[in-house]
Amino acid sequence: MFNFDEKAFLERHKGALKIRNDVEKAVDAEYKRGFKNVFLIGVGGSTTSHMEWEPFLKAHSTIDFRMERAAEFVLCGNKRFSKDSLVFLSSVTGDTPEVINAAEYVRKQGAKIIAFTAKEDGPMAKLADYPIINTHGNTYFWHAVLLRLLHLNNEFPEYDKFFKELDGLPETLVDVQKAADEKARDFAKKYCDEPIHYFIGAGNMWGWTFCYAMCILEEMFWMRTKSVHASDFFHGTLEIIDRDTSVVLFKGEDESRPLADRVENFVPRICAKFTVFDTKDYALKGISPEFRGYISPLVMESVCERITVHLEDALKHPKQIRRYYRRLDY
Amino acid sequence: MFNFDEKAFLERHKGALKIRNDVEKAVDAEYKRGFKNVFLIGVGGSTTSHMEWEPFLKAHSTIDFRMERAAEFVLCGNKRFSKDSLVFLSSVTGDTPEVINAAEYVRKQGAKIIAFTAKEDGPMAKLADYPIINTHGNTYFWHAVLLRLLHLNNEFPEYDKFFKELDGLPETLVDVQKAADEKARDFAKKYCDEPIHYFIGAGNMWGWTFCYAMCILEEMFWMRTKSVHASDFFHGTLEIIDRDTSVVLFKGEDESRPLADRVENFVPRICAKFTVFDTKDYALKGISPEFRGYISPLVMESVCERITVHLEDALKHPKQIRRYYRRLDY
């Protein structure tokens, strides 16, 4: 398969899954100590992880979770935040300014921090009470911390079964990438030069939809995108879709699926450039039917890795290039 | 001033402000009865009102507010929702399907509903325990219900002073429109044919930024827009801005203003089509300095009314036209 290092992929994912031990120690200790509420604070990509988990947490937990944009949190404050809050942060590079500022603010208030970072000696690792360090485990970090918390709170009894299945996921995601490759290549070749793409998602797929449009296509490929929640779509954005507008729907398998069905039923009536990527199209060996919805975003991320590889080739635009990000001061 | 009926504008706004009596009766009764949490449930435009209020509520209140997309709420559920929740809804037309479904779901659970609608005999009015009926008061509805609640909870002691000043706002907003007209006209004439506009906002201005881009420019004028939070902007979207991209910043006066300053400092270095609309540019007669930030979105809405009037003329596109919305079934 074009530009795919299966061995390296498996190593990355298997290595990333290993963060669970450290996460369990941290979460168990803080659950035992007790907290009033849990703050997920991030910026850019890390807030899209929060968006991904929000519907699941709402549906399954009575824990008082609060999502915050780091810079706004520091400037505007949150009256429910206190030393009795538990804070989850993530900064892969370890020095994202907004997140580091928030971490310093949190420490001053005396709240505890469990944080993911790839940089062992970066500011993030130093500011966290429990630094969770791994080069590639960001996605699994959120699974591990949030589901552990729900498990301890008697809100996720499937914990052991779920994570046993997750341990086999790296191989399954290789299968997904192989199965998705042709469709991903066709999409990239056909649509790489479109003036704009509309990306639509709902439920636990909304965070990844937003992330792929912003953190990959805008940031890495300088492609114009707008991400739209499947529910908002019918209250404004639909009006500017016409025959020649590229619209992409990311379908997952959680309870929000009827919202994506509605988009899928409507868009082809007015648009001839409509593409649906659906996690249901992939076998997911080793994953029980009841867990498929939980990991839909992980599956779609794998599908998108193939889109990204083929876009990079079709656009002749290496994905490492940045015009401004971390090149200019602002 | 072009296409402006001052008398009708004043009548609308003064009429809308009158909803406060009904709102106070409803909120006072429910506060006395007691509730565990407060759900703001909406779709499209009404969720942007929730977005507008979220930073203020976070900063000022310990009441457990929860924002929900109506369709997702019904499909995915929320474990914190119960008969002891208090629900705020809004459907101007009175029959928005997603909101009506949510209202029926809420009633079945036995929670109370305070709802804004313009339609006295529509489904929304029938489903609400406290229907708040007014042809144009949607924006003031949110001020009234939320600040009344905070006032009763001893979290907004400025209540009487603030609303006394708000009673004089209609005339002040006329002044804003007159002061903003020339800039709005210039913007509309210069940029009406741009292939896409990026709208940026933060804090309590983010909801209106999102709303104007989606509910007015996309829905009414079929203009391509993307709204970006000033904090997310630096984590992806900035990469596709170049000299010839239209970027519009909506600046308000709440605590998030430094986030907008950061955008204002950066964008002109890379972009020659940058427009800033700033509520600070308007006198706001009768409004105390400490309240200016609270009403920034209301002021910007008035500025945008002038942009809308001039876009309608420049595009020769009456704003009542819809291609699909409420014309096709979906």
Side-chain angles (χ1 to χ4, degrees), chain B residues 106-119:
Chain B
V106 165
R107 281 197 78 90
K108 261 184 213 147
Q109 312 281 320
K112 298 288 181 188
I113 300 173
I114 302 178
F116 177 84
T117 179
K119 208 65 192 294

Side-chain angles (χ1 to χ4, degrees), chain A residues 27-163:
Chain A
V27 174
D28 291 8
E30 285 306 304
Y31 189 83
K32 203 174 158 192
R33 224 173 60 88
F35 49 79
K36 267 198 188 152
N37 45 39
V38 180
F39 277 71
L40 282 61
I41 307 172
V43 66
S46 59
T47 60
T48 67
S49 300
H50 311 167
M51 289 156 68
E52 174 180 325
W53 279 94
E54 204 174 16
F56 184 89
L57 299 175
K58 280 180 181 175
H60 292 84
S61 182
T62 56
I63 296 172
D64 185 10
F65 286 103
R66 301 278 157 180
M67 280 58 171
E68 286 280 356
R69 289 185 179 88
E72 209 166 78
F73 171 70
V74 171
L75 286 169
C76 304
N78 188 313
K79 222 178 159 181
R80 300 174 76 90
F81 178 76
S82 74
K83 66 171 179 43
D84 301 319
S85 300
L86 175 61
V87 176
F88 295 151
L89 298 173
S90 163
S91 169
V92 176
T93 60
D95 61 356
T96 317
E98 295 93 332
V99 177
I100 296 305
N101 287 346
E104 284 165 352
Y105 175 94
V106 165
R107 280 196 79 91
K108 261 183 216 150
Q109 311 282 319
K112 298 287 181 188
I113 299 173
I114 302 178
F116 177 85
T117 179
K119 206 70 190 294
E120 199 161 353
D121 54 352
M124 183 76 272
K126 281 174 195 144
L127 286 162
D129 297 280
Y130 306 90
I132 308 294
I133 292 154
N134 192 284
T135 45
H136 289 86
N138 195 33
T139 307
Y140 294 117
F141 170 72
W142 294 108
H143 281 78
V145 286
L146 295 170
L147 294 178
R148 184 66 183 178
L149 209 49
L150 264 62
H151 174 61
L152 295 173
N153 212 39
N154 296 316
E155 296 174 326
F156 192 63
E158 315 94 314
Y159 185 85
D160 291 323
K161 188 183 175 206
F162 176 76
F163 277 101

Side-chain angles (χ1 to χ4, degrees), chain B residues 261-311:
Chain B
D261 288 336
R262 192 179 180 210
V263 172
E264 190 173 15
N265 291 334
F266 173 69
V267 173
R269 293 171 65 193
I270 59 164
C271 168
K273 293 184 175 178
F274 182 48
T275 311
V276 182
F277 290 97
D278 187 347
T279 60
K280 240 186 183 169
D281 292 342
Y282 306 101
L284 308 188
K285 208 177 72 184
I287 302 295
S288 299
E290 70 267 31
F291 294 150
R292 290 183 61 101
Y294 297 176
I295 62 159
S296 294
L298 267 172
V299 174
M300 195 60 80
E301 264 191 69
S302 277
V303 173
C304 288
E305 278 191 42
R306 296 314 301 161
I307 302 175
T308 301
V309 159
H310 291 295
L311 279 174

Side-chain angles (χ1 to χ4, degrees), chain B residues 28-136:
Chain B
D28 291 8
E30 285 305 304
Y31 190 83
K32 204 175 159 192
R33 223 171 60 87
F35 49 79
K36 267 198 186 151
N37 45 39
V38 179
F39 276 72
L40 282 60
I41 307 172
V43 67
S46 59
T47 60
T48 67
S49 300
H50 310 167
M51 289 155 69
E52 173 180 325
W53 280 94
E54 204 174 13
F56 183 89
L57 298 175
K58 280 179 180 173
H60 292 85
S61 182
T62 56
I63 295 172
D64 184 10
F65 286 102
R66 300 279 156 179
M67 279 58 171
E68 286 280 356
R69 289 186 179 88
E72 210 165 78
F73 172 69
V74 171
L75 286 168
C76 304
N78 188 313
K79 222 177 161 183
R80 300 174 76 90
F81 177 76
S82 74
K83 66 171 178 46
D84 300 319
S85 301
L86 175 60
V87 176
F88 295 151
L89 299 173
S90 161
S91 169
V92 176
T93 59
D95 61 357
T96 317
E98 294 93 333
V99 177
I100 296 306
N101 287 347
E104 284 165 351
Y105 175 94
V106 165
R107 281 197 78 90
K108 261 184 213 147
Q109 312 281 320
K112 298 288 181 188
I113 300 173
I114 302 178
F116 177 84
T117 179
K119 208 65 192 294
E120 199 162 353
D121 55 352
M124 184 76 273
K126 281 174 194 143
L127 285 161
D129 297 281
Y130 307 91
I132 308 294
I133 293 156
N134 192 285
T135 46
H136 289 87

